[in-house]
Amino acid sequence: MIVDEESPMTKTGVVEWAVRARTLPGESICGDRCLVMEVWEGVLVAVIDGIGHGVEAAKASEAAVRSIEANAATRSFSSLLQQCHMDLQKTRGVVLSLAFLDSQRTMTWMGIGNVEGRLVRRRAQYAAKYAEKSESLLLRTGVIGGETEQLPAFYPRGVALIRGDFLVMATDGIKGDFESFIDLEAAPKAIAENLITTRSRNNDDALVFVGRYIG
């Protein structure tokens, strides 16, 4: 499912999720996009931020969505991103983060640029199994497409999941302290609405994906 400005809470495979976005005031279109789709016996989530804002940023992020959607059958993040990088050479380029969640209670995720990700552990169980309440996505500096000749290095990382864990991914139009404003007792839709309302910056487009693992 390609998500533009807003989605209701939706169930896709092993994830219940919602997305909210806000267009930079003065612009006619948001340059951030989200793609959620069932693939590889799991769910692939892509949160994409077109460089800059406005129409050209939206064109770049839409091109990234089309490329990922068309090539998602591959089980390789490397192949998927290499093709995306080629497809976006005539655009401004994008930064993006990807996550793949499967029914075996594992997630693989990676990011190029500054689309942040947090895995927030279910309150009732994280203390018994994990040292930390949450984990942050490791981000690598770079841009996909645009004038960049070579795809930046990236390092997909696998983590274990517990039923009820939350995955939150946000473009840089969302303030970096958003984790402190996540209510784990709320539904993904309510969390996304709260973050886009209270943590959006006034100088950029903003998009936040909130997914609850139900596998």
Side-chain angles (χ1 to χ4, degrees):
M1 176 181 290
I2 300 172
V3 182
D4 191 354
E5 296 262 343
E6 181 173 313
S7 75
M9 189 171 78
T10 304
K11 178 181 176 182
T12 302
V14 295
V15 182
E16 290 178 338
W17 59 273
V19 168
R20 288 293 181 269
R22 184 186 66 83
T23 302
L24 175 68
E27 294 288 356
S28 61
I29 188 170
C30 183
D32 299 346
R33 292 290 185 275
C34 180
L35 173 66
V36 183
M37 61 188 304
E38 289 190 78
V39 65
W40 316 340
E41 300 177 349
V43 176
L44 180 67
V45 180
V47 174
I48 303 157
D49 185 347
I51 300 301
H53 47 78
V55 173
E56 293 304 315
K59 287 180 179 178
S61 59
E62 288 165 1
V65 167
R66 290 193 299 270
S67 179
I68 294 170
E69 189 176 37
N71 296 285
T74 177
R75 290 179 176 268
S76 165
F77 273 13
S78 178
S79 297
L80 188 65
L81 290 177
Q82 289 286 354
Q83 185 60 53
C84 188
H85 186 62
M86 293 174 59
D87 291 343
L88 269 62
Q89 289 299 303
K90 294 183 179 181
T91 72
R92 283 188 177 183
V94 304
V95 293
L96 65 77
S97 289
L98 296 173
F100 173 67
L101 304 89
D102 64 28
S103 60
Q104 303 305 308
R105 298 194 174 183
T106 61
M107 176 176 71
T108 303
W109 59 346
M110 52 121 319
I112 295 177
N114 56 4
V115 176
E116 294 196 51
R118 300 283 192 280
L119 174 62
V120 186
R121 300 293 183 183
R122 181 180 176 184
R123 288 186 189 278
Q125 297 184 17
Y126 80 84
K129 296 191 67 174
Y130 299 99
E132 301 294 335
K133 175 184 173 181
S134 66
E135 297 188 43
S136 296
L137 175 61
L138 176 64
L139 298 173
R140 296 293 178 177
T141 301
V143 174
I144 297 173
E147 298 181 355
T148 305
E149 294 184 4
Q150 187 172 358
L151 184 68
F154 59 92
Y155 302 93
R157 177 171 173 263
V159 295
L161 298 172
I162 299 173
R163 183 179 174 85
D165 283 350
F166 279 85
L167 170 64
V168 182
M169 301 170 74
T171 64
D172 66 344
I174 300 291
K175 296 176 182 178
D177 63 353
F178 64 84
E179 183 179 338
S180 299
F181 294 81
I182 297 172
D183 177 5
L184 295 182
E185 302 303 320
K189 178 181 178 181
I191 296 172
E193 288 177 344
N194 179 58
L195 294 181
I196 203 70
T197 300
T198 66
R199 309 319 301 157
S200 293
R201 302 181 191 275
N202 294 322
N203 60 353
D204 202 355
D205 299 321
L207 183 146
V208 59
F209 164 90
V210 180
R212 177 166 54 200
Y213 182 72
I214 57 174

